[in-house]
Amino acid sequence: MPRKHGTYSCGATGCDNEACKAAVLRYARNVRKLKAYGRWQPFVDAEPVRQHVRQLQASGLGYRRIAALAGTSEPLIFRLLHGVKSTGKPPTKNLRTDTAESILAVQPNLEAVAEYAKIDGAGTRRRLQALVAHGWAQNLIAAEIGMTPGNLARVIRTPEVTAKTARLVRAVYERMWDAAPPQSTVEERSAFKRAKTIASRYGWAPSMAWDDIDDPAEQPQGVARPNLRRRLPHVDELAWLMDQGETQEAIAMRFTVHVKSLKSAQIRANRKAAA
């Protein structure tokens, strides 16, 4: 496994890369300074670093990605977690101070996570729900993100999403959350009203209700509790679900009602639309 240029670990092998030589010089200067002040501690306990790596993994970072972000080698991270299985060597007990600091500096933010790593979907769900609460129709949101309305309807409720989806949704949300949805035609005004109705029905919070929209433990401020007592969906809600590509069978299963009851509701919805 090749080492990463620009690091002490690579320069210590005798690498001729200028960035590696500079890293070795920086390390040597730092050592001399610490020794002069009596603070030289070449090795530290690996356990806190190991726990940090496990927390990073729980957030969706793989050990290879952690090694790349820390500027160290993949085998080092593997040994830190698992030891050397072929020889029965236990996980690393001590680490060089600079290596430990580099690993501890890696933080579990969205930019660091690999594209298809699964992460908590709270922030993604809330951003999509907030756009609907502002009156944006889901087909318009889906078009901006580049997915089908049916897929968006699933993402808007799913507990986990990929980091790629979270990034796409965040970018679209930043563009749309404070923009006015189109209402120049009858269809656009109807879609606006329907989005508002659905958001109210489910208790979806607008953007300003959140202090930290990504904090799973946070509760929105000033939002009424959703009214979910009615088993059969409202005709507006049924029409909206059908627009998102949901089948009557899937809707019936979700609301624990008979398909024929939904068909009757669909007839009422069609009559309302025609009127």
Side-chain angles (χ1 to χ4, degrees):
M1 181 68 63
R3 296 180 184 273
K4 184 178 179 180
H5 287 309
T7 63
Y8 171 81
S9 58
C10 187
T13 65
C15 178
D16 289 331
N17 184 280
E18 293 301 322
C20 295
K21 292 179 180 179
V24 171
L25 289 175
R26 286 195 302 272
Y27 179 80
R29 284 197 296 269
N30 190 49
V31 168
R32 288 196 298 270
K33 181 176 70 174
L34 292 173
K35 285 182 176 179
Y37 285 97
R39 294 165 52 195
W40 171 233
Q41 187 181 9
F43 295 97
V44 295
D45 182 13
E47 185 58 29
V49 184
R50 185 164 28 253
Q51 294 302 322
H52 181 68
V53 169
R54 286 173 178 157
Q55 290 174 358
L56 292 174
Q57 289 183 311
S59 73
L61 285 170
Y63 82 91
R64 291 184 174 87
R65 181 63 173 161
I66 295 169
L69 293 170
T72 189
S73 68
E74 294 174 12
L76 184 146
I77 300 295
F78 190 88
R79 289 195 300 271
L80 173 66
L81 294 172
H82 308 293
V84 182
K85 294 182 179 180
S86 61
T87 62
K89 187 175 181 180
T92 305
K93 293 182 178 180
N94 297 292
L95 284 171
R96 280 208 330 266
T97 302
D98 62 318
T99 299
E101 290 174 348
S102 296
I103 296 172
L104 291 171
V106 178
Q107 295 301 314
N109 55 62
L110 186 58
E111 286 71 26
V113 180
E115 230 181 28
Y116 291 101
K118 287 296 185 79
I119 63 172
D120 185 88
T124 300
R125 288 195 310 274
R126 291 168 178 176
R127 285 177 172 86
L128 293 173
Q129 291 169 3
L131 291 178
V132 177
H134 292 312
W136 283 99
Q138 285 199 42
N139 63 318
L140 298 180
I141 301 171
E144 288 290 328
I145 296 172
M147 63 173 58
T148 65
N151 284 337
L152 185 74
R154 285 187 285 273
V155 172
I156 212 167
R157 292 178 175 84
T158 189
E160 288 187 329
V161 297
T162 65
K164 179 180 180 180
T165 297
R167 291 176 190 136
L168 288 171
V169 170
R170 184 176 61 178
V172 168
Y173 174 80
E174 290 301 321
R175 293 199 306 268
M176 296 176 66
W177 77 269
D178 59 349
Q183 297 184 64
S184 58
T185 67
V186 172
E187 290 78 10
E188 288 173 345
R189 289 191 291 273
S190 176
F192 174 84
K193 181 180 178 181
R194 183 177 295 170
K196 288 277 195 179
T197 299
I198 295 303
S200 176
R201 158 84 170 137
Y202 284 108
W204 291 349
S207 302
M208 300 305 292
W210 301 102
D211 287 329
D212 183 354
I213 201 169
D214 290 303
D215 182 0
E218 185 176 328
Q219 295 298 315
Q221 301 299 311
V223 178
R225 292 173 63 86
N227 177 19
L228 299 177
R229 289 177 297 173
R230 187 174 59 249
R231 294 179 67 196
L232 189 67
H234 188 275
V235 290
D236 282 340
E237 183 177 356
L238 176 59
W240 175 76
L241 290 169
M242 297 290 286
D243 285 346
Q244 311 314 310
E246 295 275 3
T247 65
Q248 289 183 336
E249 289 75 13
I251 298 171
M253 184 177 296
R254 177 185 299 178
F255 287 90
T256 63
V257 296
H258 293 293
V259 174
K260 64 179 182 180
S261 298
L262 284 178
K263 289 180 178 179
S264 297
Q266 182 66 47
I267 292 172
R268 292 196 299 273
N270 292 338
R271 288 174 179 170
K272 181 179 179 180

